[in-house]
Every structure is written in structure tokens, then in C-alpha cells.
Amino acid sequence: MKDLLKRLRENNIRISLSGQNLRVGASTAVIPPDLLAEIRQYKAALIAFLENNAAEDTATRPVISRAGVQASYPLSSSQRRLWVLSQMGEGNQAYTMADVYRLEGPLDRQALEYAFQALIERHEVLRTVFREDEQGDVHQFVLPRVDFAIDYHQLHGQQDPLAAVDALVSRQLSQPFDLAAGPLLRSGLYRTGPEQWVLVYLMHHIISDGWSMEVLLGEVLTLYHRRRTGQPAGLPELSLQYKDYALWQQQQLAGAALSAERAYWLGQLSGELPVLELPADRPRPAVKTYRGGSVSRSLEGGLTGRLKALFQGEGATLFMGLLAGVNALLYRYSGQGEQIIGSPVAGR
């Protein structure tokens, strides 16, 4: 079991429980067949392992109480960061998250609309907006309801329906969210054939993240299926909403228990922030933009294995080792011993 869990982690495959069912998620579109076969073979053992871990986690988890009904609530630290970034030019659009799916077979549009409406009713954060008060402080407000409708387009019969889908998805992505008005969730359904569809749904990162997108889609599909089959929704009641966590977190940060940690990081980040100056690079723009690029490089399996072994021998992960390599390379180019490098993170 330990070996299987280790290999799942190394392949960025996540397992979790949804009621009594095992959910499997991966950062790539295809899970290696041998690992998929082992997951099926040891499904019962994996469920038992997760249940035991959940019980242990519950015993040591901090107690978070419901916030109660208030006019508004504080932002969590991550929400505050994203709100600040969204005020900077193209920052709002830069933090739009989108998932696009191809669907085949008969589809009940009314049941799908119901599933999204039920999801919004279930999760308060999907009905949350962010507004400044007269003092310039930002608060989150949970609305009783939001105007939501799936953007439907009949493209079947057009000369190039997939090109039309690309244009519609691009239009959805280019439309910024209004954090003060909401809703911060959009969805589109585009029919490209008699029983062929493209479903897109988008959220602003201030109310969701990559892992949550997977969870929410799973709930949409469950609600859709049960509506189609005449079953009750049957999803377990949520013990907490995100606003409850945000209030608890800010209370912890304001307490004395974290004063030493806060002082440490204020010291680490004090002074002037270094700016990377690469020789012969292009001029740095006066105003930061999001018009960046990307460079991809694949490493062959043998080299990847040797790198993992090397870094694990030093008590580090593959991520940490590769980041150290990027640091060393930039130091070699610039001669600057202190650098700032940004990286996407999820619970790191």
C-alpha cells in the first residue's frame, strides 16, 4: 500500500473520498494503465486507508465554528492576495480558471441548469462578492441568490462548429469578472453535433482553486444524474462554508500564538525587494503586464528517475531540486545572490 501511494504521488495522481466512493484525479489527461489497474485492484484497501486517515485527521483538526449570520465577513489571506492582484490592470483576467469538456450522448439542458443552480445554492462562496467600504477595507458578502444562466449556443450544422466553439470560449475567457457584482461563476454549453456538446465553466480564482473545480464538477454531475433519474439530490450537508474558515483564519492571525511566525516573515521580507537584472535581456517594461510566454521541456524517464533519487537522498522533493537548479542558473547569468521566483502552489 505504501509503495502504491508513493507512486501515485510521484505521478501527481490524487485520491479522495466522495461519500463511500473513491475519486481519482490526475494532473494529466491519462492515468498510466498499470496504475489504474492497481487502483481498481486495491480500491477497498485505499478507501479503508482514507477513512482511517480522515478519522485521525478529524481528531487533530482545529475546531472551526460557524461564523453566524453577519452583514459581511473578512477575506482569507489568499482571497486578499487575489483581490489586490485583480485590481492591477490585466490581473482580473489572469486569474480566471476554466475547464472545458466534450460530452457525447443525449443531454438534458434543464437538468444541467438545475444542477448548477443547486450547486450555487449549496456553496455560499459561489454566491459571494467582494466590496470595499468607505474606509477602503474589503469584505466578502454572501448574496441570497445570483443571476446565473448557462450560455447556450446551437452550432450543429455550421461549417466549422469547433472553430465557433473556440471563438465562444475565447470570448468567455476575455470577459473579466466583476468582483463587486458577481456572479463569479459562468458556464457555456455549445452543441456541435446531434449528440455532441462542449461544456465550459469558469470561475474567478478568488472563490475557488484547481482541486475545488474537480470537486464542484463531480457534484454537478451527481446532481444532474439524480435529477434525470428522479432521485433526491442526496449530497451530505456541508459542516462549514468558506466564510467560516476565512473568519477563523483571520482570528488566528490576529492572536498572539502566531506573533513569532509573523515577526520572522516580516524580517525575511523586509528591506528592498531584489529585481532580477539579466545581462543582454530586453528592457523591463515600466508597467507589469501578463503578456508572458511559456517554455516546455520533457526529460526522459531515466534522467527523471535519477533526479528524484538524488533529491530524495538530500531530503528534498523533485520540485525543490529543480527550483534550486533554476536559482543556480539565474545566479550564473546575473551574479545576484538573492532572487524572487514565483511558482503555482497547492498546499505546499
Side-chain angles (χ1 to χ4, degrees), residues 183-205:
L184 305 184
L185 163 69
R186 292 198 297 266
S187 180
L189 180 66
Y190 311 128
R191 188 173 186 177
T192 59
E195 291 191 345
Q196 294 177 323
W197 317 75
V198 173
L199 174 67
V200 55
Y201 81 115
L202 311 90
M203 296 185 205
H204 194 283
H205 199 5

Side-chain angles (χ1 to χ4, degrees), residues 234-290:
L235 293 176
E237 182 182 355
L238 299 174
S239 59
L240 293 171
Q241 297 283 346
Y242 190 79
K243 72 176 192 303
D244 305 323
Y245 164 75
L247 178 61
W248 170 84
Q249 183 199 54
Q250 295 309 301
Q251 290 171 341
Q252 300 301 305
L253 293 175
L258 296 178
S259 59
E261 287 85 346
R262 184 163 52 248
Y264 169 81
W265 283 110
L266 287 173
Q268 290 291 106
L269 301 175
S270 63
E272 189 173 343
L273 297 178
V275 177
L276 185 65
E277 299 291 350
L278 292 175
D281 194 17
R282 286 169 290 187
R284 185 180 297 276
V287 178
K288 175 184 174 181
T289 72
Y290 287 84

Side-chain angles (χ1 to χ4, degrees), residues 129-195:
V129 294
F130 302 83
R131 297 168 180 166
E132 289 184 86
D133 60 19
E134 295 177 354
Q135 288 72 42
D137 295 324
V138 186
H139 303 268
Q140 54 177 317
F141 296 80
V142 178
L143 305 180
R145 64 188 60 84
V146 293
D147 294 328
F148 174 85
I150 297 176
D151 180 44
Y152 174 73
H153 288 268
Q154 167 65 269
L155 306 177
H156 177 44
Q158 291 195 13
Q159 183 175 0
D160 192 345
L162 292 182
V165 167
D166 287 342
L168 288 167
V169 171
S170 296
R171 188 177 74 183
Q172 288 269 23
L173 286 169
S174 64
Q175 181 181 349
F177 283 104
D178 186 338
L179 300 190
L184 305 184
L185 163 69
R186 292 198 297 266
S187 180
L189 180 66
Y190 311 128
R191 188 173 186 177
T192 59
E195 291 191 345

Side-chain angles (χ1 to χ4, degrees), residues 304-326:
T304 302
R306 294 194 298 275
L307 287 172
K308 287 181 179 178
L310 172 64
F311 300 146
Q312 288 172 359
E314 298 295 329
T317 63
L318 180 62
F319 172 88
M320 295 164 66
L322 293 177
L323 180 59
V326 173

